[in-house]
Amino acid sequence: MRRGLLTRSLRRMPINVRGFRPEDAEQTAEVRRAAVPHMVCTAEAVAWEAAHAPKAMRLRRLVAEDVEGRVVGCTDSGVNVESAEPGQGFLHTAVSPDARGLGVGDALVSAAEAHLTSIGAVDVHTWVSDDAHSPGFAERRAYLRSRPARFLHLELAGADLPAPPDPLPLDLELCTAADFSADLRPLYEADVDCVADEPSDVVAAPAPFDDWLLLN
């Protein structure tokens, strides 16, 4: 038994878990892209999300850095502002592939769960990749499997995309987001209608318009 404990301790990476800083944006984006290849993520998006999260979300973004100061993991946790049920928390974690199995994810998730407890979250929801490690990691922490999701990828630069219908159906007009730059509320209302019947573990409720602007 003692030998097993010693072996495990040797595989622990000395890390420092701390709050996200704007200068962490590039490395955080790199961790996300390495851990979740289908996610489109840039440093600019990471910085924008951290700076513009709705106050009601109570977002806490953490990073884990190794002894050399390299960011090897990150996590976001907070309250789902688009839930009809109060106290529904979220927690999303990413760890660099070369740092997995060394205690990075465990340290990040423990710190994020402490944050969720402090803000009164009742349940916490997360996504994990369907690989050889992530589901087991979550289940060892008492998370329960719910539903699967699939992500589709299309390389637009070389795709043979069909032309828009010509003519368009009666009373329809093809617009861009820029056409609504003076008033985004029609886009908000369309988004609310589309989200209402999306499959989810949480009963959806529209975020207030001002929060929706921050989220989009």
Side-chain angles (χ1 to χ4, degrees):
M1 290 293 292
R2 291 187 61 82
R3 184 177 181 182
L5 290 174
L6 177 61
T7 301
R8 185 175 181 183
S9 68
L10 289 173
R11 285 186 54 77
R12 289 277 165 171
M13 174 187 287
I15 60 169
N16 175 41
V17 174
R18 59 168 176 80
F20 171 86
R21 298 192 288 254
E23 57 265 31
D24 298 322
E26 183 61 53
Q27 290 192 68
T28 299
E30 290 175 0
V31 168
R32 284 185 176 181
R33 291 193 295 265
V36 193
H38 63 259
M39 177 184 291
V40 178
C41 183
T42 64
E44 292 79 7
V46 169
W48 191 90
E49 291 168 0
H52 295 85
K55 185 177 180 180
M57 183 180 285
R58 307 289 297 275
L59 177 67
R60 177 67 166 153
R61 174 166 289 173
L62 301 169
V63 299
E65 57 183 8
D66 63 15
V67 292
E68 297 178 349
R70 180 176 68 104
V71 173
V72 293
C74 57
T75 189
D76 291 346
S77 59
V79 174
N80 187 342
V81 297
E82 296 180 291
S83 170
E85 306 171 73
Q88 299 303 298
F90 65 86
L91 193 166
H92 304 308
T93 305
V95 176
S96 294
D98 63 351
R100 290 175 183 167
L102 302 176
V104 177
D106 193 56
L108 284 167
V109 172
S110 293
E113 288 175 341
H115 167 64
L116 290 169
T117 299
S118 72
I119 62 176
V122 177
D123 300 307
V124 57
H125 302 266
T126 188
W127 293 100
V128 298
S129 297
D130 188 15
D131 55 28
H133 309 287
S134 303
F137 171 82
E139 288 171 339
R140 286 192 296 273
R141 299 190 65 95
Y143 287 79
L144 303 175
R145 292 183 187 239
S146 178
R147 60 187 177 87
R150 297 288 184 270
F151 296 88
L152 305 180
H153 172 84
L154 176 63
E155 181 55 60
L156 295 176
D160 184 15
L161 300 176
D166 186 20
L168 290 171
L170 189 65
D171 297 329
L172 292 183
E173 180 182 356
L174 193 61
C175 303
T176 69
D179 295 322
F180 298 93
S181 58
D183 179 14
L184 292 175
R185 193 169 290 274
L187 292 182
Y188 166 73
E189 293 171 352
D191 189 37
V192 169
D193 286 342
C194 292
V195 170
D197 62 352
E198 283 187 4
S200 176
D201 296 326
V202 176
V203 179
F209 179 62
D210 290 342
D211 284 352
W212 180 86
L213 289 174
L214 295 175
L215 292 168
N216 294 277

Short mmCIF file of all heavy atoms in Angstrom, two decimals, residues 24-87:
data_model
loop_
_atom_site.label_atom_id
_atom_site.label_comp_id
_atom_site.label_asym_id
_atom_site.label_seq_id
_atom_site.Cartn_x
_atom_site.Cartn_y
_atom_site.Cartn_z
N ASP A 24 -2.43 35.86 -19.67
CA ASP A 24 -2.51 34.40 -19.81
C ASP A 24 -3.32 33.99 -21.04
O ASP A 24 -3.44 32.79 -21.33
CB ASP A 24 -3.19 33.78 -18.58
CG ASP A 24 -2.42 34.01 -17.30
OD1 ASP A 24 -1.18 33.97 -17.33
OD2 ASP A 24 -3.07 34.23 -16.25
N ALA A 25 -3.91 34.94 -21.75
CA ALA A 25 -4.87 34.61 -22.80
C ALA A 25 -4.29 33.71 -23.88
O ALA A 25 -4.93 32.74 -24.30
CB ALA A 25 -5.44 35.89 -23.42
N GLU A 26 -3.07 34.00 -24.35
CA GLU A 26 -2.50 33.22 -25.44
C GLU A 26 -2.25 31.78 -25.00
O GLU A 26 -2.61 30.82 -25.71
CB GLU A 26 -1.20 33.86 -25.92
CG GLU A 26 -0.57 33.14 -27.11
CD GLU A 26 -1.48 33.15 -28.33
OE1 GLU A 26 -1.94 34.23 -28.73
OE2 GLU A 26 -1.74 32.04 -28.85
N GLN A 27 -1.64 31.59 -23.83
CA GLN A 27 -1.36 30.23 -23.37
C GLN A 27 -2.65 29.48 -23.03
O GLN A 27 -2.73 28.27 -23.25
CB GLN A 27 -0.44 30.27 -22.15
CG GLN A 27 0.98 30.71 -22.45
CD GLN A 27 1.92 30.45 -21.29
OE1 GLN A 27 2.21 29.30 -20.96
NE2 GLN A 27 2.37 31.52 -20.64
N THR A 28 -3.62 30.18 -22.51
CA THR A 28 -4.91 29.54 -22.21
C THR A 28 -5.57 29.05 -23.49
O THR A 28 -6.11 27.94 -23.55
CB THR A 28 -5.84 30.51 -21.47
OG1 THR A 28 -5.23 30.90 -20.23
CG2 THR A 28 -7.18 29.87 -21.18
N ALA A 29 -5.52 29.87 -24.53
CA ALA A 29 -6.07 29.46 -25.82
C ALA A 29 -5.34 28.24 -26.37
O ALA A 29 -5.95 27.33 -26.94
CB ALA A 29 -6.01 30.62 -26.81
N GLU A 30 -4.02 28.20 -26.20
CA GLU A 30 -3.24 27.06 -26.67
C GLU A 30 -3.64 25.78 -25.94
O GLU A 30 -3.75 24.71 -26.55
CB GLU A 30 -1.74 27.34 -26.48
CG GLU A 30 -1.19 28.42 -27.40
CD GLU A 30 0.27 28.75 -27.09
OE1 GLU A 30 0.83 28.13 -26.16
OE2 GLU A 30 0.83 29.62 -27.77
N VAL A 31 -3.86 25.88 -24.63
CA VAL A 31 -4.29 24.71 -23.85
C VAL A 31 -5.65 24.23 -24.34
O VAL A 31 -5.87 23.03 -24.54
CB VAL A 31 -4.35 25.06 -22.35
CG1 VAL A 31 -5.07 23.96 -21.57
CG2 VAL A 31 -2.95 25.24 -21.79
N ARG A 32 -6.57 25.15 -24.55
CA ARG A 32 -7.90 24.76 -25.01
C ARG A 32 -7.84 24.07 -26.36
O ARG A 32 -8.49 23.05 -26.57
CB ARG A 32 -8.81 26.01 -25.11
CG ARG A 32 -9.31 26.55 -23.78
CD ARG A 32 -10.28 27.67 -24.06
NE ARG A 32 -10.90 28.21 -22.87
CZ ARG A 32 -11.81 29.19 -22.90
NH1 ARG A 32 -12.16 29.72 -24.07
NH2 ARG A 32 -12.34 29.64 -21.78
N ARG A 33 -7.08 24.63 -27.29
CA ARG A 33 -7.00 24.03 -28.63
C ARG A 33 -6.35 22.66 -28.58
O ARG A 33 -6.75 21.75 -29.31
CB ARG A 33 -6.22 24.96 -29.57
CG ARG A 33 -6.94 26.25 -29.92
CD ARG A 33 -6.28 26.94 -31.10
NE ARG A 33 -4.94 27.38 -30.78
CZ ARG A 33 -4.61 28.60 -30.37
NH1 ARG A 33 -5.57 29.51 -30.20
NH2 ARG A 33 -3.36 28.93 -30.12
N ALA A 34 -5.35 22.48 -27.73
CA ALA A 34 -4.69 21.18 -27.63
C ALA A 34 -5.59 20.14 -26.97
O ALA A 34 -5.60 18.97 -27.37
CB ALA A 34 -3.39 21.32 -26.83
N ALA A 35 -6.36 20.57 -25.97
CA ALA A 35 -7.20 19.64 -25.23
C ALA A 35 -8.51 19.35 -25.96
O ALA A 35 -9.05 18.24 -25.87
CB ALA A 35 -7.50 20.18 -23.84
N VAL A 36 -9.03 20.34 -26.66
CA VAL A 36 -10.33 20.21 -27.34
C VAL A 36 -10.14 20.69 -28.78
O VAL A 36 -10.48 21.82 -29.12
CB VAL A 36 -11.42 21.03 -26.62
CG1 VAL A 36 -12.81 20.65 -27.13
CG2 VAL A 36 -11.34 20.88 -25.12
N PRO A 37 -9.61 19.83 -29.65
CA PRO A 37 -9.24 20.27 -30.99
C PRO A 37 -10.38 20.85 -31.82
O PRO A 37 -10.15 21.68 -32.70
CB PRO A 37 -8.68 18.99 -31.64
CG PRO A 37 -8.23 18.15 -30.49
CD PRO A 37 -9.20 18.44 -29.39
N HIS A 38 -11.62 20.40 -31.56
CA HIS A 38 -12.73 20.91 -32.38
C HIS A 38 -13.15 22.31 -31.97
O HIS A 38 -13.96 22.94 -32.66
CB HIS A 38 -13.93 19.96 -32.28
CG HIS A 38 -14.51 19.84 -30.90
ND1 HIS A 38 -14.23 18.77 -30.07
CD2 HIS A 38 -15.33 20.66 -30.19
CE1 HIS A 38 -14.87 18.93 -28.93
NE2 HIS A 38 -15.53 20.06 -28.96
N MET A 39 -12.63 22.83 -30.86
CA MET A 39 -13.03 24.16 -30.39
C MET A 39 -12.24 25.23 -31.12
O MET A 39 -11.01 25.21 -31.15
CB MET A 39 -12.80 24.29 -28.89
CG MET A 39 -13.13 25.68 -28.35
SD MET A 39 -12.75 25.86 -26.57
CE MET A 39 -14.02 24.79 -25.88
N VAL A 40 -12.95 26.18 -31.70
CA VAL A 40 -12.30 27.34 -32.30
C VAL A 40 -12.03 28.33 -31.18
O VAL A 40 -12.95 28.85 -30.55
CB VAL A 40 -13.19 27.98 -33.39
CG1 VAL A 40 -12.52 29.21 -33.96
CG2 VAL A 40 -13.50 26.96 -34.49
N CYS A 41 -10.76 28.58 -30.91
CA CYS A 41 -10.41 29.41 -29.76
C CYS A 41 -9.19 30.26 -30.08
O CYS A 41 -8.18 29.77 -30.58
CB CYS A 41 -10.12 28.51 -28.54
SG CYS A 41 -9.76 29.42 -27.04
N THR A 42 -9.30 31.54 -29.80
CA THR A 42 -8.19 32.48 -29.99
C THR A 42 -7.92 33.20 -28.68
O THR A 42 -8.76 33.25 -27.78
CB THR A 42 -8.52 33.52 -31.06
OG1 THR A 42 -9.62 34.33 -30.61
CG2 THR A 42 -8.90 32.85 -32.38
N ALA A 43 -6.73 33.78 -28.58
CA ALA A 43 -6.38 34.56 -27.39
C ALA A 43 -7.33 35.75 -27.23
O ALA A 43 -7.72 36.10 -26.10
CB ALA A 43 -4.94 35.04 -27.49
N GLU A 44 -7.72 36.35 -28.35
CA GLU A 44 -8.63 37.49 -28.28
C GLU A 44 -9.98 37.09 -27.70
O GLU A 44 -10.57 37.81 -26.88
CB GLU A 44 -8.83 38.09 -29.68
CG GLU A 44 -7.60 38.77 -30.26
CD GLU A 44 -6.59 37.78 -30.83
OE1 GLU A 44 -6.89 36.57 -30.91
OE2 GLU A 44 -5.48 38.23 -31.20
N ALA A 45 -10.47 35.90 -28.08
CA ALA A 45 -11.75 35.42 -27.55
C ALA A 45 -11.65 35.13 -26.06
O ALA A 45 -12.55 35.44 -25.28
CB ALA A 45 -12.20 34.18 -28.31
N VAL A 46 -10.54 34.52 -25.64
CA VAL A 46 -10.35 34.20 -24.23
C VAL A 46 -10.35 35.48 -23.39
O VAL A 46 -11.00 35.56 -22.34
CB VAL A 46 -9.04 33.42 -24.02
CG1 VAL A 46 -8.68 33.31 -22.55
CG2 VAL A 46 -9.14 32.03 -24.64
N ALA A 47 -9.63 36.48 -23.84
CA ALA A 47 -9.56 37.74 -23.10
C ALA A 47 -10.92 38.43 -23.07
O ALA A 47 -11.32 38.99 -22.04
CB ALA A 47 -8.51 38.65 -23.73
N TRP A 48 -11.62 38.39 -24.20
CA TRP A 48 -12.93 39.05 -24.28
C TRP A 48 -13.93 38.38 -23.34
O TRP A 48 -14.69 39.06 -22.64
CB TRP A 48 -13.44 39.00 -25.72
CG TRP A 48 -14.64 39.87 -25.96
CD1 TRP A 48 -14.65 41.17 -26.35
CD2 TRP A 48 -16.02 39.47 -25.82
NE1 TRP A 48 -15.94 41.62 -26.47
CE2 TRP A 48 -16.80 40.60 -26.16
CE3 TRP A 48 -16.65 38.29 -25.46
CZ2 TRP A 48 -18.18 40.57 -26.12
CZ3 TRP A 48 -18.03 38.26 -25.42
CH2 TRP A 48 -18.79 39.39 -25.76
N GLU A 49 -13.95 37.05 -23.31
CA GLU A 49 -14.86 36.32 -22.42
C GLU A 49 -14.63 36.70 -20.96
O GLU A 49 -15.58 36.92 -20.21
CB GLU A 49 -14.65 34.81 -22.58
CG GLU A 49 -15.10 34.24 -23.91
CD GLU A 49 -14.59 32.82 -24.11
OE1 GLU A 49 -13.89 32.29 -23.22
OE2 GLU A 49 -14.89 32.24 -25.16
N ALA A 50 -13.36 36.78 -20.57
CA ALA A 50 -13.04 37.08 -19.18
C ALA A 50 -13.45 38.51 -18.82
O ALA A 50 -13.90 38.77 -17.69
CB ALA A 50 -11.55 36.88 -18.94
N ALA A 51 -13.31 39.42 -19.77
CA ALA A 51 -13.59 40.83 -19.49
C ALA A 51 -15.07 41.17 -19.57
O ALA A 51 -15.51 42.16 -18.98
CB ALA A 51 -12.80 41.71 -20.45
N HIS A 52 -15.86 40.36 -20.29
CA HIS A 52 -17.25 40.73 -20.55
C HIS A 52 -18.28 39.76 -19.98
O HIS A 52 -19.46 39.83 -20.33
CB HIS A 52 -17.47 40.85 -22.07
CG HIS A 52 -16.71 41.97 -22.70
ND1 HIS A 52 -15.40 41.84 -23.11
CD2 HIS A 52 -17.05 43.26 -22.97
CE1 HIS A 52 -14.98 42.98 -23.62
NE2 HIS A 52 -15.95 43.85 -23.55
N ALA A 53 -17.87 38.85 -19.12
CA ALA A 53 -18.84 37.92 -18.54
C ALA A 53 -19.90 38.67 -17.75
O ALA A 53 -19.57 39.60 -16.99
CB ALA A 53 -18.12 36.92 -17.62
N PRO A 54 -21.19 38.32 -17.90
CA PRO A 54 -22.23 38.99 -17.12
C PRO A 54 -21.97 38.85 -15.61
O PRO A 54 -21.49 37.81 -15.15
CB PRO A 54 -23.50 38.23 -17.52
CG PRO A 54 -23.19 37.63 -18.85
CD PRO A 54 -21.73 37.31 -18.83
N LYS A 55 -22.29 39.88 -14.88
CA LYS A 55 -22.05 39.86 -13.43
C LYS A 55 -22.77 38.70 -12.77
O LYS A 55 -22.24 38.04 -11.86
CB LYS A 55 -22.50 41.19 -12.82
CG LYS A 55 -22.18 41.32 -11.34
CD LYS A 55 -22.58 42.69 -10.82
CE LYS A 55 -22.27 42.83 -9.33
NZ LYS A 55 -22.66 44.18 -8.82
N ALA A 56 -24.00 38.41 -13.24
CA ALA A 56 -24.79 37.33 -12.63
C ALA A 56 -24.17 35.96 -12.84
O ALA A 56 -24.49 35.01 -12.13
CB ALA A 56 -26.21 37.34 -13.20
N MET A 57 -23.27 35.83 -13.80
CA MET A 57 -22.63 34.55 -14.06
C MET A 57 -21.64 34.17 -12.97
O MET A 57 -21.36 32.97 -12.77
CB MET A 57 -21.91 34.59 -15.43
CG MET A 57 -21.27 33.28 -15.84
SD MET A 57 -20.44 33.42 -17.45
CE MET A 57 -21.85 33.40 -18.55
N ARG A 58 -21.09 35.15 -12.27
CA ARG A 58 -20.11 34.91 -11.20
C ARG A 58 -18.94 34.07 -11.72
O ARG A 58 -18.48 33.14 -11.07
CB ARG A 58 -20.78 34.21 -10.00
CG ARG A 58 -22.01 34.90 -9.46
CD ARG A 58 -21.70 36.19 -8.76
NE ARG A 58 -20.87 35.95 -7.57
CZ ARG A 58 -21.37 35.63 -6.38
NH1 ARG A 58 -22.69 35.47 -6.23
NH2 ARG A 58 -20.58 35.46 -5.34
N LEU A 59 -18.46 34.42 -12.89
CA LEU A 59 -17.40 33.65 -13.54
C LEU A 59 -16.11 33.69 -12.73
O LEU A 59 -15.67 34.74 -12.29
CB LEU A 59 -17.13 34.19 -14.94
CG LEU A 59 -15.98 33.53 -15.72
CD1 LEU A 59 -16.32 32.09 -16.06
CD2 LEU A 59 -15.66 34.32 -16.98
N ARG A 60 -15.52 32.53 -12.57
CA ARG A 60 -14.19 32.40 -11.96
C ARG A 60 -13.33 31.59 -12.92
O ARG A 60 -13.58 30.40 -13.14
CB ARG A 60 -14.29 31.69 -10.61
CG ARG A 60 -12.95 31.44 -9.92
CD ARG A 60 -12.28 32.70 -9.47
NE ARG A 60 -11.20 32.44 -8.53
CZ ARG A 60 -10.14 33.23 -8.37
NH1 ARG A 60 -10.02 34.31 -9.12
NH2 ARG A 60 -9.21 32.94 -7.48
N ARG A 61 -12.34 32.24 -13.51
CA ARG A 61 -11.44 31.57 -14.44
C ARG A 61 -10.10 31.36 -13.74
O ARG A 61 -9.51 32.29 -13.19
CB ARG A 61 -11.25 32.39 -15.71
CG ARG A 61 -10.23 31.84 -16.68
CD ARG A 61 -10.34 32.49 -18.02
NE ARG A 61 -11.56 32.06 -18.71
CZ ARG A 61 -11.99 32.58 -19.86
NH1 ARG A 61 -11.33 33.54 -20.45
NH2 ARG A 61 -13.10 32.14 -20.41
N LEU A 62 -9.64 30.12 -13.76
CA LEU A 62 -8.39 29.75 -13.12
C LEU A 62 -7.43 29.14 -14.12
O LEU A 62 -7.86 28.55 -15.12
CB LEU A 62 -8.65 28.74 -11.99
CG LEU A 62 -9.58 29.16 -10.86
CD1 LEU A 62 -9.93 27.96 -9.98
CD2 LEU A 62 -8.95 30.27 -10.03
N VAL A 63 -6.16 29.27 -13.86
CA VAL A 63 -5.15 28.58 -14.66
C VAL A 63 -4.22 27.82 -13.72
O VAL A 63 -4.08 28.16 -12.54
CB VAL A 63 -4.32 29.56 -15.53
CG1 VAL A 63 -5.21 30.31 -16.50
CG2 VAL A 63 -3.54 30.55 -14.66
N ALA A 64 -3.62 26.77 -14.24
CA ALA A 64 -2.60 26.02 -13.51
C ALA A 64 -1.29 26.19 -14.26
O ALA A 64 -1.23 25.96 -15.48
CB ALA A 64 -2.98 24.54 -13.44
N GLU A 65 -0.26 26.60 -13.56
CA GLU A 65 1.04 26.77 -14.20
C GLU A 65 2.06 25.85 -13.54
O GLU A 65 1.99 25.57 -12.34
CB GLU A 65 1.50 28.23 -14.13
CG GLU A 65 1.59 28.80 -12.74
CD GLU A 65 1.98 30.27 -12.73
OE1 GLU A 65 2.04 30.89 -13.81
OE2 GLU A 65 2.21 30.81 -11.63
N ASP A 66 3.02 25.36 -14.34
CA ASP A 66 4.05 24.48 -13.81
C ASP A 66 5.17 25.29 -13.18
O ASP A 66 5.09 26.53 -13.07
CB ASP A 66 4.55 23.53 -14.91
CG ASP A 66 5.23 24.26 -16.06
OD1 ASP A 66 5.57 25.46 -15.92
OD2 ASP A 66 5.42 23.63 -17.13
N VAL A 67 6.23 24.62 -12.78
CA VAL A 67 7.31 25.30 -12.06
C VAL A 67 8.04 26.32 -12.94
O VAL A 67 8.72 27.21 -12.43
CB VAL A 67 8.32 24.27 -11.51
CG1 VAL A 67 7.69 23.44 -10.41
CG2 VAL A 67 8.86 23.37 -12.63
N GLU A 68 7.88 26.19 -14.24
CA GLU A 68 8.51 27.14 -15.16
C GLU A 68 7.58 28.29 -15.54
O GLU A 68 7.93 29.13 -16.36
CB GLU A 68 8.98 26.41 -16.41
CG GLU A 68 10.05 25.35 -16.14
CD GLU A 68 10.46 24.61 -17.39
OE1 GLU A 68 9.77 24.78 -18.43
OE2 GLU A 68 11.45 23.87 -17.34
N GLY A 69 6.38 28.30 -14.95
CA GLY A 69 5.43 29.37 -15.24
C GLY A 69 4.61 29.14 -16.49
O GLY A 69 3.86 30.03 -16.92
N ARG A 70 4.68 27.95 -17.07
CA ARG A 70 3.89 27.64 -18.27
C ARG A 70 2.49 27.22 -17.88
O ARG A 70 2.30 26.39 -16.98
CB ARG A 70 4.57 26.51 -19.05
CG ARG A 70 3.83 26.08 -20.34
CD ARG A 70 4.63 25.03 -21.08
NE ARG A 70 4.68 23.77 -20.37
CZ ARG A 70 3.95 22.69 -20.70
NH1 ARG A 70 3.11 22.73 -21.73
NH2 ARG A 70 4.08 21.57 -20.02
N VAL A 71 1.49 27.79 -18.53
CA VAL A 71 0.10 27.41 -18.27
C VAL A 71 -0.15 26.04 -18.87
O VAL A 71 0.02 25.84 -20.08
CB VAL A 71 -0.88 28.45 -18.85
CG1 VAL A 71 -2.32 27.95 -18.72
CG2 VAL A 71 -0.72 29.79 -18.15
N VAL A 72 -0.54 25.08 -18.02
CA VAL A 72 -0.76 23.70 -18.48
C VAL A 72 -2.21 23.26 -18.31
O VAL A 72 -2.58 22.14 -18.67
CB VAL A 72 0.16 22.71 -17.74
CG1 VAL A 72 1.61 22.96 -18.11
CG2 VAL A 72 -0.03 22.80 -16.22
N GLY A 73 -3.06 24.14 -17.77
CA GLY A 73 -4.47 23.80 -17.60
C GLY A 73 -5.27 25.05 -17.27
O GLY A 73 -4.71 26.07 -16.84
N CYS A 74 -6.57 24.97 -17.48
CA CYS A 74 -7.44 26.11 -17.18
C CYS A 74 -8.84 25.60 -16.87
O CYS A 74 -9.22 24.49 -17.27
CB CYS A 74 -7.48 27.09 -18.35
SG CYS A 74 -8.03 26.35 -19.91
N THR A 75 -9.58 26.40 -16.17
CA THR A 75 -10.97 26.03 -15.88
C THR A 75 -11.82 27.28 -15.73
O THR A 75 -11.33 28.33 -15.29
CB THR A 75 -11.05 25.18 -14.59
OG1 THR A 75 -12.38 24.67 -14.45
CG2 THR A 75 -10.72 25.98 -13.35
N ASP A 76 -13.07 27.18 -16.14
CA ASP A 76 -14.07 28.23 -15.95
C ASP A 76 -15.20 27.65 -15.10
O ASP A 76 -15.63 26.51 -15.34
CB ASP A 76 -14.67 28.69 -17.28
CG ASP A 76 -13.69 29.45 -18.13
OD1 ASP A 76 -12.64 29.85 -17.61
OD2 ASP A 76 -13.97 29.65 -19.33
N SER A 77 -15.69 28.41 -14.15
CA SER A 77 -16.85 27.97 -13.37
C SER A 77 -17.71 29.18 -13.04
O SER A 77 -17.21 30.31 -12.95
CB SER A 77 -16.40 27.26 -12.08
OG SER A 77 -15.60 28.11 -11.28
N GLY A 78 -18.99 28.92 -12.88
CA GLY A 78 -19.92 30.00 -12.57
C GLY A 78 -21.35 29.51 -12.62
O GLY A 78 -21.61 28.30 -12.59
N VAL A 79 -22.28 30.44 -12.71
CA VAL A 79 -23.70 30.15 -12.71
C VAL A 79 -24.25 30.27 -14.12
O VAL A 79 -23.92 31.22 -14.85
CB VAL A 79 -24.46 31.11 -11.76
CG1 VAL A 79 -25.97 30.90 -11.87
CG2 VAL A 79 -24.01 30.89 -10.32
N ASN A 80 -25.06 29.32 -14.53
CA ASN A 80 -25.70 29.36 -15.84
C ASN A 80 -26.79 30.42 -15.84
O ASN A 80 -27.83 30.27 -15.20
CB ASN A 80 -26.30 27.98 -16.17
CG ASN A 80 -26.83 27.89 -17.58
OD1 ASN A 80 -27.08 28.91 -18.24
ND2 ASN A 80 -27.03 26.68 -18.06
N VAL A 81 -26.57 31.51 -16.57
CA VAL A 81 -27.52 32.63 -16.58
C VAL A 81 -28.66 32.39 -17.56
O VAL A 81 -29.56 33.23 -17.66
CB VAL A 81 -26.82 33.96 -16.90
CG1 VAL A 81 -25.80 34.29 -15.81
CG2 VAL A 81 -26.15 33.91 -18.27
N GLU A 82 -28.63 31.26 -18.27
CA GLU A 82 -29.71 30.93 -19.20
C GLU A 82 -30.49 29.72 -18.72
O GLU A 82 -31.03 28.97 -19.51
CB GLU A 82 -29.14 30.69 -20.59
CG GLU A 82 -28.48 31.94 -21.19
CD GLU A 82 -27.90 31.70 -22.57
OE1 GLU A 82 -26.91 30.97 -22.68
OE2 GLU A 82 -28.46 32.26 -23.54
N SER A 83 -30.57 29.56 -17.41
CA SER A 83 -31.32 28.46 -16.80
C SER A 83 -32.53 29.00 -16.06
O SER A 83 -32.45 30.01 -15.37
CB SER A 83 -30.42 27.68 -15.83
OG SER A 83 -31.19 26.77 -15.07
N ALA A 84 -33.65 28.29 -16.20
CA ALA A 84 -34.85 28.65 -15.45
C ALA A 84 -34.78 28.17 -14.01
O ALA A 84 -35.55 28.63 -13.17
CB ALA A 84 -36.09 28.06 -16.14
N GLU A 85 -33.87 27.25 -13.74
CA GLU A 85 -33.70 26.72 -12.39
C GLU A 85 -32.55 27.42 -11.70
O GLU A 85 -31.44 27.48 -12.25
CB GLU A 85 -33.41 25.21 -12.45
CG GLU A 85 -34.42 24.40 -13.23
CD GLU A 85 -33.94 22.98 -13.44
OE1 GLU A 85 -33.96 22.20 -12.46
OE2 GLU A 85 -33.56 22.65 -14.57
N PRO A 86 -32.76 27.95 -10.52
CA PRO A 86 -31.66 28.64 -9.83
C PRO A 86 -30.59 27.66 -9.36
O PRO A 86 -30.85 26.47 -9.17
CB PRO A 86 -32.36 29.30 -8.63
CG PRO A 86 -33.58 28.45 -8.39
CD PRO A 86 -34.02 27.98 -9.75
N GLY A 87 -29.38 28.16 -9.20
CA GLY A 87 -28.31 27.36 -8.64
C GLY A 87 -27.68 26.36 -9.58
O GLY A 87 -27.01 25.42 -9.12
#
